[in-house]
PDB file of all heavy atoms in Angstrom:
ATOM      1  N   VAL E   8      14.871  -9.820  10.637  1.00  0.00           N
ATOM      2  CA  VAL E   8      13.825 -10.099   9.649  1.00  0.00           C
ATOM      3  C   VAL E   8      12.469  -9.666  10.185  1.00  0.00           C
ATOM      4  O   VAL E   8      11.660  -9.059   9.495  1.00  0.00           O
ATOM      5  CB  VAL E   8      13.819 -11.595   9.285  1.00  0.00           C
ATOM      6  CG1 VAL E   8      12.598 -11.939   8.455  1.00  0.00           C
ATOM      7  CG2 VAL E   8      15.073 -11.965   8.514  1.00  0.00           C
ATOM      8  N   PRO E  49      -8.669  -9.191  11.341  1.00  0.00           N
ATOM      9  CA  PRO E  49      -7.500 -10.069  11.177  1.00  0.00           C
ATOM     10  C   PRO E  49      -7.878 -11.542  11.279  1.00  0.00           C
ATOM     11  O   PRO E  49      -8.643 -11.948  12.159  1.00  0.00           O
ATOM     12  CB  PRO E  49      -6.587  -9.653  12.341  1.00  0.00           C
ATOM     13  CG  PRO E  49      -6.978  -8.246  12.649  1.00  0.00           C
ATOM     14  CD  PRO E  49      -8.453  -8.177  12.392  1.00  0.00           C
ATOM     15  N   VAL E  75      -0.870   6.227   8.968  1.00  0.00           N
ATOM     16  CA  VAL E  75      -0.751   5.209  10.004  1.00  0.00           C
ATOM     17  C   VAL E  75      -0.768   3.830   9.363  1.00  0.00           C
ATOM     18  O   VAL E  75      -1.565   3.572   8.451  1.00  0.00           O
ATOM     19  CB  VAL E  75      -1.895   5.301  11.035  1.00  0.00           C
ATOM     20  CG1 VAL E  75      -1.619   4.375  12.221  1.00  0.00           C
ATOM     21  CG2 VAL E  75      -2.114   6.729  11.508  1.00  0.00           C
ATOM     22  N   TRP E  84      10.196 -13.603  15.063  1.00  0.00           N
ATOM     23  CA  TRP E  84      10.482 -14.304  16.307  1.00  0.00           C
ATOM     24  C   TRP E  84       9.276 -15.003  16.925  1.00  0.00           C
ATOM     25  O   TRP E  84       9.391 -15.621  17.975  1.00  0.00           O
ATOM     26  CB  TRP E  84      11.084 -13.335  17.317  1.00  0.00           C
ATOM     27  CG  TRP E  84      10.134 -12.281  17.784  1.00  0.00           C
ATOM     28  CD1 TRP E  84       9.372 -12.308  18.902  1.00  0.00           C
ATOM     29  CD2 TRP E  84       9.824 -11.051  17.144  1.00  0.00           C
ATOM     30  NE1 TRP E  84       8.609 -11.182  19.014  1.00  0.00           N
ATOM     31  CE2 TRP E  84       8.875 -10.380  17.947  1.00  0.00           C
ATOM     32  CE3 TRP E  84      10.266 -10.433  15.960  1.00  0.00           C
ATOM     33  CZ2 TRP E  84       8.355  -9.134  17.605  1.00  0.00           C
ATOM     34  CZ3 TRP E  84       9.753  -9.193  15.631  1.00  0.00           C
ATOM     35  CH2 TRP E  84       8.807  -8.557  16.434  1.00  0.00           C
ATOM     36  N   VAL E  93       3.526   5.455  12.664  1.00  0.00           N
ATOM     37  CA  VAL E  93       2.774   6.703  12.508  1.00  0.00           C
ATOM     38  C   VAL E  93       3.692   7.777  11.946  1.00  0.00           C
ATOM     39  O   VAL E  93       4.873   7.856  12.313  1.00  0.00           O
ATOM     40  CB  VAL E  93       2.218   7.174  13.872  1.00  0.00           C
ATOM     41  CG1 VAL E  93       1.496   8.516  13.733  1.00  0.00           C
ATOM     42  CG2 VAL E  93       1.287   6.125  14.464  1.00  0.00           C
ATOM     43  N   LYS E 120     -15.751  -7.586  15.270  1.00  0.00           N
ATOM     44  CA  LYS E 120     -15.877  -6.334  14.532  1.00  0.00           C
ATOM     45  C   LYS E 120     -14.480  -5.806  14.226  1.00  0.00           C
ATOM     46  O   LYS E 120     -13.497  -6.250  14.832  1.00  0.00           O
ATOM     47  CB  LYS E 120     -16.674  -5.308  15.333  1.00  0.00           C
ATOM     48  CG  LYS E 120     -16.075  -4.993  16.685  1.00  0.00           C
ATOM     49  CD  LYS E 120     -16.969  -4.052  17.485  1.00  0.00           C
ATOM     50  CE  LYS E 120     -16.371  -3.764  18.858  1.00  0.00           C
ATOM     51  NZ  LYS E 120     -17.227  -2.851  19.642  1.00  0.00           N
ATOM     52  N   ASP E 124      -5.972  -2.444  18.074  1.00  0.00           N
ATOM     53  CA  ASP E 124      -5.263  -1.508  18.942  1.00  0.00           C
ATOM     54  C   ASP E 124      -3.859  -2.040  19.198  1.00  0.00           C
ATOM     55  O   ASP E 124      -3.692  -3.055  19.884  1.00  0.00           O
ATOM     56  CB  ASP E 124      -6.028  -1.337  20.259  1.00  0.00           C
ATOM     57  CG  ASP E 124      -5.491  -0.181  21.106  1.00  0.00           C
ATOM     58  OD1 ASP E 124      -4.389   0.321  20.804  1.00  0.00           O
ATOM     59  OD2 ASP E 124      -6.174   0.218  22.059  1.00  0.00           O
ATOM     60  N   ILE E 270       0.548  -2.796 -18.676  1.00  0.00           N
ATOM     61  CA  ILE E 270       1.528  -1.802 -18.269  1.00  0.00           C
ATOM     62  C   ILE E 270       2.732  -1.867 -19.199  1.00  0.00           C
ATOM     63  O   ILE E 270       3.166  -2.956 -19.589  1.00  0.00           O
ATOM     64  CB  ILE E 270       1.961  -2.018 -16.802  1.00  0.00           C
ATOM     65  CG1 ILE E 270       2.823  -0.844 -16.298  1.00  0.00           C
ATOM     66  CG2 ILE E 270       2.671  -3.348 -16.604  1.00  0.00           C
ATOM     67  CD1 ILE E 270       3.033  -0.845 -14.793  1.00  0.00           C
TER      68      ILE E 270
END
Side-chain angles (χ1 to χ4, degrees):
V8 170
V75 189
W84 67 95
V93 177
K120 58 185 179 180
D124 191 347
I270 189 168

